[in-house]
Amino acid sequence: FAEVRDTQKNKNAAILHHVEVAEGSLSVKDKVEAEVDIMTRRDTMKNHSATHLLNKALREVLGEHINQAGSYVDSKRLRFDLTHFEGISKEDLKRIEEIVNEQIALGLPVAVREMSLVESQEEGAIGLFEDKYKDVVRVVNMGNGYSVELCGGTHVRTTSDIQMLKIMSESSVASGIRRIEAITGREVYKHMTSSDRVLSNVGTLLKAAPEELDRRIAELQSENKGLQKEVHNLKQEESAKSLNDVLDQAAELSNGSKVVAFQFEDMDMDTIRGLGDKIRDQIASGVIVLSTVKEGKLNFIAMVTKDLIEKGVFAGNIVKQVAQITGGNGGGRKDFAAAGGKDISKVDEALGQVKTIVEQML
Ligand SMILES: [Zn+2]
C-alpha cells in the first residue's frame, strides 16, 4: 500500500507517480491497482475550478489589465497570483468574493471541449497562449461564455459543486504581483466552525453573546481608561501625602535654612522634580536633594533656594558630590541639577551626607 505524493510528466509524456510506501513493500514488476482518493480529488477540483471564477471576478472588479501570474492548488486551498500594481482594497476583495459566490450559487454548467487555437481565440478564451499549446487546445467554458479559459486541469461539473469560496488573504509576492489565497467547500465549513469556536470562547470570557462582543469590548476599553485615570489620581494623592512626610524629616542648618534629603522609590524624574518644586514652595530657605530608583536606575536631583545661591551654595556642586558617593556623577545649574547614581546600596549614606556637604559650602 503506497500513497501517491506527486505526479509529473517526463519528456516522453509518460506520467510518473512519486509514491511513499505506507505499508508492505514495492518492487519492480509488481502489479499495482491505482485508486483515486475521491475526497482529496474532489476538494482539489473545487479549489482549481474556483481559480477560473476568481480570475473572471478579478477582471470584472479590477479591470481587464490583470493577468494570471501563476497559481497553486491542492485539496486544502488555492493560491492565485496576478499582475496588479497596488494592493487590493478590502471592499474590492469583498466584491470579488461575492461575485465568485454568486456564480457558484447559480450553478453554471462547466463544459470542456477541445478545439483549434484559432477557434478558442474566437470564443474569447484567456490563458497563456504559449508555444506549448499545440494545434488542439482544451477549453474550459463556465456558464456558456461567462468564463472561458485554456486549461488542462480537472474541474467540477457545475460551479455549485464548489459550494463556497472564502478569500483568506491578499498580499504582495513580488513587484507588481499580488497573491490571493482562498479556500472552498469543506474547508470553508471547517474555517467557519473554528471561527465560531473562537467567538464562543471570547463570548464566554466576556460573558456576552457574539453579536454583543464589539459593544462589550468598547465598554471594557472605556472602563480601563477610567481605571487608569483613577490610578493616576491616587498616585497624585499619594505623593501629596509623602510631601508631608518629607517635610517632617527635614534637618535644619545653624542659620535656620532647611535641608531636605529624601529617598523615593519607583518614581520618574518628572515626578520627583514636581515634588521638589512643591517642597521648595513650602520652605522659605534651604536645599533639597531627592533620589529615586526606577527600573534599576538610581537618579538624584538637587535644588537650592535663591538666598543660599547668593552664599555660594550651588545645586550642581551638591548633586555631583552626592552622586559620587554612590559611584555616579552629574551636575547642572546653580538652582537645579540632576545626576545619575550607581550603587543603590549607598543611597542612604549619600543622602546622609547632604547636610555636611552644604555646611562646608557656607
Ligand atoms: Zn482549469
Side-chain angles (χ1 to χ4, degrees):
F1 176 63
E3 279 179 19
V4 178
R5 293 292 180 211
D6 192 18
T7 57
Q8 296 283 338
K9 254 185 204 172
N10 76 356
K11 52 180 182 270
N12 301 324
I15 295 166
L16 304 177
H17 289 72
H18 295 262
V19 303
E20 207 175 286
V21 179
E23 236 180 86
S25 63
L26 202 59
S27 40
V28 178
K29 287 189 179 169
D30 274 357
K31 271 194 179 165
V32 296
E33 200 174 313
E35 195 178 274
V36 175
D37 179 339
I38 292 293
M39 280 309 239
T40 305
R41 161 62 71 96
R42 287 194 65 85
D43 290 341
T44 311
M45 274 162 65
K46 288 174 197 175
N47 282 339
H48 171 75
S49 303
T51 63
H52 288 243
L53 295 178
L54 189 57
N55 196 349
K56 176 71 181 175
L58 283 163
R59 282 163 181 267
E60 275 181 26
V61 173
L62 303 177
E64 291 292 323
H65 66 278
I66 71 120
N67 270 307
Q68 182 170 348
S71 78
Y72 172 83
V73 168
D74 62 23
S75 61
K76 301 286 181 203
R77 70 209 164 102
L78 66 96
R79 210 158 75 190
F80 191 91
D81 293 346
L82 61 135
T83 54
H84 192 55
F85 278 92
E86 54 191 2
I88 306 169
S89 71
K90 268 189 181 166
E91 295 76 51
D92 282 349
L93 279 177
K94 188 167 170 274
R95 186 76 200 112
I96 290 159
E97 192 180 83
E98 271 170 9
I99 292 173
V100 174
N101 281 300
E102 276 161 21
Q103 301 310 318
I104 290 171
L106 283 171
L108 307 177
V110 178
V112 181
R113 276 205 306 135
E114 290 192 337
M115 60 183 77
S116 73
L117 192 56
V118 177
E119 265 182 295
S120 80
Q121 280 165 329
E122 279 166 5
E123 276 204 15
I126 56 167
L128 303 166
F129 292 96
E130 283 172 0
D131 296 342
K132 71 173 180 182
Y133 289 113
K134 308 224 170 63
D135 299 338
V136 177
V137 293
R138 194 161 176 268
V139 175
V140 178
N141 187 329
M142 294 187 177
N144 299 317
Y146 172 72
S147 152
V148 188
E149 276 192 55
L150 298 189
C151 184
T154 60
H155 303 87
V156 294
R157 291 200 183 162
T158 75
T159 54
S160 54
D161 291 343
I162 300 168
Q163 295 168 303
M164 197 174 275
L165 172 123
K166 174 109 191 80
I167 293 176
M168 300 302 283
S169 68
E170 187 273 338
S171 58
S172 164
V173 275
S175 166
I177 309 236
R178 311 296 304 183
R179 170 168 294 171
I180 287 180
E181 291 187 284
I183 53 176
T184 68
R186 293 192 297 159
E187 287 298 319
V188 179
Y189 176 73
K190 274 192 212 164
H191 172 75
M192 198 182 78
T193 316
S194 84
S195 297
D196 258 7
R197 196 169 52 235
V198 171
L199 268 186
S200 148
N201 289 346
V202 174
T204 307
L205 285 172
L206 296 180
K207 295 187 177 65
E211 60 275 14
E212 287 174 345
L213 284 179
D214 46 1
R215 190 181 53 78
R216 185 76 190 104
I217 288 168
E219 270 174 21
L220 281 174
Q221 282 173 334
S222 99
E223 229 176 275
N224 193 28
K225 245 187 202 163
L227 287 172
Q228 275 174 354
K229 208 171 176 187
E230 207 169 309
V231 167
H232 178 77
N233 290 343
L234 285 171
K235 272 192 178 167
Q236 296 257 312
E237 266 178 48
E238 187 83 356
S239 61
K241 273 184 206 156
S242 3
L243 202 64
N244 289 328
D245 292 347
V246 175
L247 287 167
D248 286 347
Q249 289 176 34
E252 209 163 291
L253 295 172
S254 50
N255 69 355
S257 299
K258 300 264 198 234
V259 174
V260 174
F262 202 84
Q263 182 180 353
F264 288 102
E265 299 295 333
D266 202 31
M267 286 199 186
D268 55 37
M269 289 292 270
D270 284 345
T271 310
I272 61 164
R273 189 171 177 171
L275 286 167
D277 285 336
K278 283 180 188 162
I279 295 166
R280 191 174 46 195
D281 293 344
Q282 302 272 325
I283 57 171
S285 164
V287 172
I288 302 150
V289 177
L290 305 176
S291 74
T292 180
V293 176
K294 192 171 169 68
E295 283 152 12
K297 276 190 181 162
L298 169 61
N299 279 295
F300 294 97
I301 60 162
M303 291 177 174
V304 178
T305 53
K306 253 189 194 155
D307 58 315
L308 291 182
I309 294 173
E310 279 160 14
K311 291 181 181 165
V313 179
F314 301 149
N317 297 341
I318 296 168
V319 87
K320 185 182 178 114
Q321 289 186 48
V322 171
Q324 278 171 349
I325 296 171
T326 69
N329 209 349
R333 302 196 312 253
K334 292 175 181 177
D335 61 333
F336 175 83
K342 270 202 181 127
D343 188 347
I344 294 168
S345 70
K346 290 198 168 147
V347 176
D348 277 341
E349 186 190 333
L351 292 174
Q353 292 294 313
V354 173
K355 195 181 168 196
T356 315
I357 292 168
V358 175
E359 274 169 343
Q360 281 167 357
M361 292 174 172
L362 282 165

